[in-house]
Amino acid sequence: MRKSNISALGIAFMLFCLVSAGAFGIEEIISSSGPGLTLIILIVLPVVWAHPISRLVAEANAVLPREGGIYAWAKEAFGEFWGFQAGWWTSMDTYISSGAYIAMVGGYTAQLLTLDDAGSFIVKLLVVGCFTVINLVGLVEVERISSFFSVLILVVFGMAVVFGFMNWQTNPFDPIFADPDAPMDCLAQSIGLGIWMYCGYECIAAMSGEYEDSRNVAKGFRIALPLIALSYILPTLACLGAYPVGSWTEWGIEGGFSDEVLGFGTIFSQVLGHTGVAIFLIVAIMSQCTIYNTYLASGSRSFWVLSEDNLFPQFIRKVDRSGRSPYVGVLTIALSSLVFSQFDFVSIVEMNIVFILARYMFLGFIVGRLRKLYPVEQRPSDMYVIGGGKLGLGLYAALTFCIATFVLCLNPVADFLATMLFLASGVVAYVVFKRLYGGLSQVDPKRHPLDPKTRLAVGDTKRIGLFVLMTAGLFVLNALMNAFLLTA
């Protein structure tokens, strides 16, 4: 792949698009959990969740700025099997979640232009086609489009903040819980979506092999992290305070575009009338487009690196002659996004959240292992390292692991079985593709010898057994947590 000169600010804007691109989706938390709890979640998660993840990603990327990001780190730290799992989780997340953004583009455009289902599908097709072409041109073009859209989105949400504070009339934290008699239920209903709002930081590293200066990733995090948090907190605070007492129950994703539903767009309709609603709808469409644009770039590198290591069909490793884009990967995500865009937003989040959380449960262990392989004292002085030594790393790793495990195990017992089957798909896929293509044993048979009985890498049987034991442990934890919620 060809190297591109992407600045720290450009990476920050790409991160903004991968993680946020506006406060869309928060509306669902407000009505299900309560305005106060929503604001608390938005304020606390950047500190205990987003910041640790960004620091862990920044250090791992500094040590191994490789194409594929977390796949390359996990493979180096724990070998082929666990590397494949991380790569599979990342790939499945991208292929599923890309449909959510196209679905929202279709929905917002249908409201703006009053389209039927056929018209909405044509819009989805045009958007997918447009941003597929941009990604085929190259990473620099992706960064430029992301930066342009990011500035527009920030300006419009900045207007929402100003309009909200100008019309302030109520306490935005009242009430804390939607149902004061069942606070744990409120938390359980909202924390997953809140976590999802602060996910995607590691995706920027999937393209690290193409950055001329990979140190810009750590610098970009310093800009993006507060930008993302403020883009969620301030508009939510301002708009909740600008609407009448008790109106928080009427919040929803279509807020501002419907007289019966409130949202961020409502403040524009109150101040600017129908013109304001049109402006906000256009920005909502831009927001989902720019997220899709950056996910195409990041996700197209995921299966590509697996193919490079003989763990996926070879056709997907093809790149254009100039080395600008893995075009087969881009085209396959474009196709999958059209398929998954037929599902509703919440269903897509429920399908892909398990792959996101699994990566974050694993991330701290990867960074810890990389410190043993590449001791901090032997690294260049300008290479980013998490401060605080082993204690600092342990704190960030523990926060990430515990929160991800807690959210994963909040699923009802019946749904948790499906969750574990989703995770187990990575083990099945590894066994199949290893047998078909040989994996790293084809690249370096001395370092990655095969077991003649199973045709898997030596030691993989034990690793699969460990995966089963971990899954059983999660089942027990899930049952205990559900039993606690029933009695709380």
PDB file of all heavy atoms in Angstrom, residues 427-451:
ATOM      1  N   VAL A 427     -13.894 -18.572  15.657  1.00  0.00           N
ATOM      2  CA  VAL A 427     -13.178 -19.841  15.809  1.00  0.00           C
ATOM      3  C   VAL A 427     -13.471 -20.752  14.619  1.00  0.00           C
ATOM      4  O   VAL A 427     -12.560 -21.372  14.044  1.00  0.00           O
ATOM      5  CB  VAL A 427     -13.574 -20.529  17.127  1.00  0.00           C
ATOM      6  CG1 VAL A 427     -12.882 -21.886  17.256  1.00  0.00           C
ATOM      7  CG2 VAL A 427     -13.215 -19.646  18.316  1.00  0.00           C
ATOM      8  N   VAL A 428     -14.732 -20.831  14.244  1.00  0.00           N
ATOM      9  CA  VAL A 428     -15.116 -21.670  13.100  1.00  0.00           C
ATOM     10  C   VAL A 428     -14.437 -21.169  11.825  1.00  0.00           C
ATOM     11  O   VAL A 428     -13.885 -21.949  11.037  1.00  0.00           O
ATOM     12  CB  VAL A 428     -16.651 -21.669  12.932  1.00  0.00           C
ATOM     13  CG1 VAL A 428     -17.050 -22.444  11.676  1.00  0.00           C
ATOM     14  CG2 VAL A 428     -17.325 -22.268  14.165  1.00  0.00           C
ATOM     15  N   ALA A 429     -14.468 -19.850  11.627  1.00  0.00           N
ATOM     16  CA  ALA A 429     -13.856 -19.276  10.435  1.00  0.00           C
ATOM     17  C   ALA A 429     -12.351 -19.549  10.406  1.00  0.00           C
ATOM     18  O   ALA A 429     -11.782 -19.841   9.344  1.00  0.00           O
ATOM     19  CB  ALA A 429     -14.122 -17.769  10.395  1.00  0.00           C
ATOM     20  N   TYR A 430     -11.689 -19.452  11.567  1.00  0.00           N
ATOM     21  CA  TYR A 430     -10.250 -19.711  11.620  1.00  0.00           C
ATOM     22  C   TYR A 430      -9.932 -21.145  11.196  1.00  0.00           C
ATOM     23  O   TYR A 430      -9.020 -21.376  10.383  1.00  0.00           O
ATOM     24  CB  TYR A 430      -9.719 -19.458  13.035  1.00  0.00           C
ATOM     25  CG  TYR A 430      -8.271 -19.846  13.205  1.00  0.00           C
ATOM     26  CD1 TYR A 430      -7.260 -19.040  12.696  1.00  0.00           C
ATOM     27  CD2 TYR A 430      -7.918 -21.021  13.859  1.00  0.00           C
ATOM     28  CE1 TYR A 430      -5.923 -19.402  12.837  1.00  0.00           C
ATOM     29  CE2 TYR A 430      -6.589 -21.394  14.014  1.00  0.00           C
ATOM     30  CZ  TYR A 430      -5.589 -20.574  13.498  1.00  0.00           C
ATOM     31  OH  TYR A 430      -4.278 -20.944  13.630  1.00  0.00           O
ATOM     32  N   VAL A 431     -10.673 -22.109  11.739  1.00  0.00           N
ATOM     33  CA  VAL A 431     -10.424 -23.512  11.406  1.00  0.00           C
ATOM     34  C   VAL A 431     -10.616 -23.739   9.905  1.00  0.00           C
ATOM     35  O   VAL A 431      -9.794 -24.392   9.239  1.00  0.00           O
ATOM     36  CB  VAL A 431     -11.359 -24.429  12.215  1.00  0.00           C
ATOM     37  CG1 VAL A 431     -11.230 -25.877  11.735  1.00  0.00           C
ATOM     38  CG2 VAL A 431     -11.036 -24.336  13.703  1.00  0.00           C
ATOM     39  N   VAL A 432     -11.685 -23.172   9.344  1.00  0.00           N
ATOM     40  CA  VAL A 432     -11.981 -23.360   7.916  1.00  0.00           C
ATOM     41  C   VAL A 432     -10.899 -22.735   7.046  1.00  0.00           C
ATOM     42  O   VAL A 432     -10.337 -23.385   6.142  1.00  0.00           O
ATOM     43  CB  VAL A 432     -13.363 -22.755   7.572  1.00  0.00           C
ATOM     44  CG1 VAL A 432     -13.577 -22.759   6.066  1.00  0.00           C
ATOM     45  CG2 VAL A 432     -14.467 -23.526   8.275  1.00  0.00           C
ATOM     46  N   PHE A 433     -10.572 -21.465   7.290  1.00  0.00           N
ATOM     47  CA  PHE A 433      -9.613 -20.777   6.434  1.00  0.00           C
ATOM     48  C   PHE A 433      -8.186 -21.284   6.634  1.00  0.00           C
ATOM     49  O   PHE A 433      -7.383 -21.275   5.699  1.00  0.00           O
ATOM     50  CB  PHE A 433      -9.685 -19.265   6.671  1.00  0.00           C
ATOM     51  CG  PHE A 433     -10.966 -18.647   6.200  1.00  0.00           C
ATOM     52  CD1 PHE A 433     -11.693 -17.791   7.024  1.00  0.00           C
ATOM     53  CD2 PHE A 433     -11.456 -18.918   4.936  1.00  0.00           C
ATOM     54  CE1 PHE A 433     -12.877 -17.226   6.593  1.00  0.00           C
ATOM     55  CE2 PHE A 433     -12.644 -18.357   4.486  1.00  0.00           C
ATOM     56  CZ  PHE A 433     -13.362 -17.512   5.318  1.00  0.00           C
ATOM     57  N   LYS A 434      -7.863 -21.730   7.841  1.00  0.00           N
ATOM     58  CA  LYS A 434      -6.545 -22.313   8.083  1.00  0.00           C
ATOM     59  C   LYS A 434      -6.372 -23.585   7.257  1.00  0.00           C
ATOM     60  O   LYS A 434      -5.315 -23.821   6.652  1.00  0.00           O
ATOM     61  CB  LYS A 434      -6.389 -22.612   9.572  1.00  0.00           C
ATOM     62  CG  LYS A 434      -5.051 -23.214   9.964  1.00  0.00           C
ATOM     63  CD  LYS A 434      -3.948 -22.199   9.905  1.00  0.00           C
ATOM     64  CE  LYS A 434      -2.628 -22.792  10.389  1.00  0.00           C
ATOM     65  NZ  LYS A 434      -1.537 -21.813  10.337  1.00  0.00           N
ATOM     66  N   ARG A 435      -7.398 -24.414   7.216  1.00  0.00           N
ATOM     67  CA  ARG A 435      -7.325 -25.648   6.444  1.00  0.00           C
ATOM     68  C   ARG A 435      -7.270 -25.370   4.944  1.00  0.00           C
ATOM     69  O   ARG A 435      -6.580 -26.062   4.191  1.00  0.00           O
ATOM     70  CB  ARG A 435      -8.526 -26.548   6.762  1.00  0.00           C
ATOM     71  CG  ARG A 435      -8.451 -27.224   8.132  1.00  0.00           C
ATOM     72  CD  ARG A 435      -9.705 -28.015   8.424  1.00  0.00           C
ATOM     73  NE  ARG A 435      -9.601 -28.756   9.670  1.00  0.00           N
ATOM     74  CZ  ARG A 435      -9.120 -29.986   9.788  1.00  0.00           C
ATOM     75  NH1 ARG A 435      -8.680 -30.622   8.699  1.00  0.00           N
ATOM     76  NH2 ARG A 435      -9.064 -30.588  10.951  1.00  0.00           N
ATOM     77  N   LEU A 436      -7.994 -24.336   4.505  1.00  0.00           N
ATOM     78  CA  LEU A 436      -8.062 -24.033   3.075  1.00  0.00           C
ATOM     79  C   LEU A 436      -6.793 -23.366   2.551  1.00  0.00           C
ATOM     80  O   LEU A 436      -6.316 -23.694   1.454  1.00  0.00           O
ATOM     81  CB  LEU A 436      -9.261 -23.122   2.790  1.00  0.00           C
ATOM     82  CG  LEU A 436     -10.647 -23.761   2.879  1.00  0.00           C
ATOM     83  CD1 LEU A 436     -11.730 -22.698   2.675  1.00  0.00           C
ATOM     84  CD2 LEU A 436     -10.801 -24.851   1.819  1.00  0.00           C
ATOM     85  N   TYR A 437      -6.236 -22.434   3.343  1.00  0.00           N
ATOM     86  CA  TYR A 437      -5.166 -21.590   2.807  1.00  0.00           C
ATOM     87  C   TYR A 437      -3.831 -21.723   3.542  1.00  0.00           C
ATOM     88  O   TYR A 437      -2.834 -21.170   3.097  1.00  0.00           O
ATOM     89  CB  TYR A 437      -5.606 -20.124   2.808  1.00  0.00           C
ATOM     90  CG  TYR A 437      -6.903 -19.915   2.074  1.00  0.00           C
ATOM     91  CD1 TYR A 437      -8.065 -19.536   2.746  1.00  0.00           C
ATOM     92  CD2 TYR A 437      -6.995 -20.135   0.698  1.00  0.00           C
ATOM     93  CE1 TYR A 437      -9.263 -19.364   2.078  1.00  0.00           C
ATOM     94  CE2 TYR A 437      -8.188 -19.975   0.020  1.00  0.00           C
ATOM     95  CZ  TYR A 437      -9.321 -19.590   0.717  1.00  0.00           C
ATOM     96  OH  TYR A 437     -10.511 -19.420   0.046  1.00  0.00           O
ATOM     97  N   GLY A 438      -3.804 -22.406   4.684  1.00  0.00           N
ATOM     98  CA  GLY A 438      -2.535 -22.680   5.346  1.00  0.00           C
ATOM     99  C   GLY A 438      -2.068 -21.653   6.353  1.00  0.00           C
ATOM    100  O   GLY A 438      -1.224 -21.938   7.195  1.00  0.00           O
ATOM    101  N   GLY A 439      -2.584 -20.418   6.272  1.00  0.00           N
ATOM    102  CA  GLY A 439      -2.217 -19.385   7.228  1.00  0.00           C
ATOM    103  C   GLY A 439      -0.740 -19.039   7.198  1.00  0.00           C
ATOM    104  O   GLY A 439      -0.065 -19.128   6.157  1.00  0.00           O
ATOM    105  N   LEU A 440      -0.202 -18.644   8.342  1.00  0.00           N
ATOM    106  CA  LEU A 440       1.187 -18.208   8.429  1.00  0.00           C
ATOM    107  C   LEU A 440       2.180 -19.349   8.219  1.00  0.00           C
ATOM    108  O   LEU A 440       3.365 -19.106   7.969  1.00  0.00           O
ATOM    109  CB  LEU A 440       1.440 -17.548   9.789  1.00  0.00           C
ATOM    110  CG  LEU A 440       0.718 -16.212  10.010  1.00  0.00           C
ATOM    111  CD1 LEU A 440       0.906 -15.741  11.449  1.00  0.00           C
ATOM    112  CD2 LEU A 440       1.210 -15.150   9.040  1.00  0.00           C
ATOM    113  N   SER A 441       1.707 -20.588   8.315  1.00  0.00           N
ATOM    114  CA  SER A 441       2.599 -21.717   8.057  1.00  0.00           C
ATOM    115  C   SER A 441       3.074 -21.722   6.609  1.00  0.00           C
ATOM    116  O   SER A 441       4.136 -22.282   6.300  1.00  0.00           O
ATOM    117  CB  SER A 441       1.888 -23.036   8.371  1.00  0.00           C
ATOM    118  OG  SER A 441       0.738 -23.193   7.558  1.00  0.00           O
ATOM    119  N   GLN A 442       2.302 -21.105   5.722  1.00  0.00           N
ATOM    120  CA  GLN A 442       2.699 -20.984   4.322  1.00  0.00           C
ATOM    121  C   GLN A 442       3.776 -19.920   4.148  1.00  0.00           C
ATOM    122  O   GLN A 442       4.564 -19.961   3.211  1.00  0.00           O
ATOM    123  CB  GLN A 442       1.492 -20.626   3.456  1.00  0.00           C
ATOM    124  CG  GLN A 442       0.388 -21.664   3.464  1.00  0.00           C
ATOM    125  CD  GLN A 442       0.832 -22.936   2.764  1.00  0.00           C
ATOM    126  OE1 GLN A 442       1.202 -23.911   3.407  1.00  0.00           O
ATOM    127  NE2 GLN A 442       0.829 -22.930   1.439  1.00  0.00           N
ATOM    128  N   VAL A 443       3.773 -18.941   5.065  1.00  0.00           N
ATOM    129  CA  VAL A 443       4.742 -17.851   4.993  1.00  0.00           C
ATOM    130  C   VAL A 443       6.043 -18.237   5.671  1.00  0.00           C
ATOM    131  O   VAL A 443       7.141 -18.004   5.143  1.00  0.00           O
ATOM    132  CB  VAL A 443       4.152 -16.572   5.647  1.00  0.00           C
ATOM    133  CG1 VAL A 443       5.158 -15.424   5.580  1.00  0.00           C
ATOM    134  CG2 VAL A 443       2.843 -16.179   4.988  1.00  0.00           C
ATOM    135  N   ASP A 444       5.947 -18.819   6.866  1.00  0.00           N
ATOM    136  CA  ASP A 444       7.127 -19.167   7.665  1.00  0.00           C
ATOM    137  C   ASP A 444       6.855 -20.488   8.395  1.00  0.00           C
ATOM    138  O   ASP A 444       6.447 -20.496   9.563  1.00  0.00           O
ATOM    139  CB  ASP A 444       7.435 -18.050   8.655  1.00  0.00           C
ATOM    140  CG  ASP A 444       8.767 -18.243   9.365  1.00  0.00           C
ATOM    141  OD1 ASP A 444       9.367 -19.321   9.196  1.00  0.00           O
ATOM    142  OD2 ASP A 444       9.196 -17.322  10.081  1.00  0.00           O
ATOM    143  N   PRO A 445       7.069 -21.619   7.737  1.00  0.00           N
ATOM    144  CA  PRO A 445       6.719 -22.915   8.343  1.00  0.00           C
ATOM    145  C   PRO A 445       7.525 -23.247   9.593  1.00  0.00           C
ATOM    146  O   PRO A 445       7.049 -23.964  10.461  1.00  0.00           O
ATOM    147  CB  PRO A 445       7.006 -23.920   7.217  1.00  0.00           C
ATOM    148  CG  PRO A 445       7.926 -23.207   6.274  1.00  0.00           C
ATOM    149  CD  PRO A 445       7.582 -21.768   6.366  1.00  0.00           C
ATOM    150  N   LYS A 446       8.755 -22.716   9.721  1.00  0.00           N
ATOM    151  CA  LYS A 446       9.557 -23.002  10.908  1.00  0.00           C
ATOM    152  C   LYS A 446       9.002 -22.295  12.135  1.00  0.00           C
ATOM    153  O   LYS A 446       8.976 -22.859  13.232  1.00  0.00           O
ATOM    154  CB  LYS A 446      11.005 -22.577  10.671  1.00  0.00           C
ATOM    155  CG  LYS A 446      11.732 -23.439   9.649  1.00  0.00           C
ATOM    156  CD  LYS A 446      13.186 -23.026   9.528  1.00  0.00           C
ATOM    157  CE  LYS A 446      13.919 -23.928   8.519  1.00  0.00           C
ATOM    158  NZ  LYS A 446      15.347 -23.534   8.391  1.00  0.00           N
ATOM    159  N   ARG A 447       8.565 -21.063  11.963  1.00  0.00           N
ATOM    160  CA  ARG A 447       8.021 -20.298  13.091  1.00  0.00           C
ATOM    161  C   ARG A 447       6.582 -20.684  13.395  1.00  0.00           C
ATOM    162  O   ARG A 447       6.116 -20.557  14.529  1.00  0.00           O
ATOM    163  CB  ARG A 447       8.107 -18.800  12.784  1.00  0.00           C
ATOM    164  CG  ARG A 447       7.721 -17.921  13.964  1.00  0.00           C
ATOM    165  CD  ARG A 447       7.825 -16.453  13.605  1.00  0.00           C
ATOM    166  NE  ARG A 447       7.386 -15.608  14.713  1.00  0.00           N
ATOM    167  CZ  ARG A 447       7.238 -14.297  14.635  1.00  0.00           C
ATOM    168  NH1 ARG A 447       7.512 -13.674  13.504  1.00  0.00           N
ATOM    169  NH2 ARG A 447       6.831 -13.613  15.676  1.00  0.00           N
ATOM    170  N   HIS A 448       5.843 -21.144  12.377  1.00  0.00           N
ATOM    171  CA  HIS A 448       4.420 -21.493  12.548  1.00  0.00           C
ATOM    172  C   HIS A 448       4.166 -22.918  12.028  1.00  0.00           C
ATOM    173  O   HIS A 448       3.470 -23.105  11.024  1.00  0.00           O
ATOM    174  CB  HIS A 448       3.540 -20.492  11.794  1.00  0.00           C
ATOM    175  CG  HIS A 448       3.757 -19.070  12.188  1.00  0.00           C
ATOM    176  ND1 HIS A 448       3.190 -18.526  13.309  1.00  0.00           N
ATOM    177  CD2 HIS A 448       4.497 -18.082  11.617  1.00  0.00           C
ATOM    178  CE1 HIS A 448       3.550 -17.256  13.411  1.00  0.00           C
ATOM    179  NE2 HIS A 448       4.345 -16.953  12.408  1.00  0.00           N
ATOM    180  N   PRO A 449       4.715 -23.930  12.699  1.00  0.00           N
ATOM    181  CA  PRO A 449       4.543 -25.319  12.233  1.00  0.00           C
ATOM    182  C   PRO A 449       3.110 -25.797  12.408  1.00  0.00           C
ATOM    183  O   PRO A 449       2.400 -25.364  13.311  1.00  0.00           O
ATOM    184  CB  PRO A 449       5.504 -26.102  13.121  1.00  0.00           C
ATOM    185  CG  PRO A 449       5.601 -25.285  14.379  1.00  0.00           C
ATOM    186  CD  PRO A 449       5.523 -23.864  13.935  1.00  0.00           C
ATOM    187  N   LEU A 450       2.713 -26.716  11.522  1.00  0.00           N
ATOM    188  CA  LEU A 450       1.385 -27.295  11.592  1.00  0.00           C
ATOM    189  C   LEU A 450       1.395 -28.585  12.405  1.00  0.00           C
ATOM    190  O   LEU A 450       2.367 -29.334  12.399  1.00  0.00           O
ATOM    191  CB  LEU A 450       0.855 -27.597  10.186  1.00  0.00           C
ATOM    192  CG  LEU A 450       0.476 -26.418   9.292  1.00  0.00           C
ATOM    193  CD1 LEU A 450       0.011 -26.937   7.938  1.00  0.00           C
ATOM    194  CD2 LEU A 450      -0.610 -25.581   9.928  1.00  0.00           C
ATOM    195  N   ASP A 451       0.282 -28.823  13.094  1.00  0.00           N
ATOM    196  CA  ASP A 451       0.064 -30.103  13.756  1.00  0.00           C
ATOM    197  C   ASP A 451      -0.461 -31.073  12.696  1.00  0.00           C
ATOM    198  O   ASP A 451      -1.528 -30.839  12.111  1.00  0.00           O
ATOM    199  CB  ASP A 451      -0.965 -29.940  14.877  1.00  0.00           C
ATOM    200  CG  ASP A 451      -1.145 -31.213  15.693  1.00  0.00           C
ATOM    201  OD1 ASP A 451      -0.991 -32.304  15.122  1.00  0.00           O
ATOM    202  OD2 ASP A 451      -1.443 -31.105  16.891  1.00  0.00           O
TER     203      ASP A 451
END
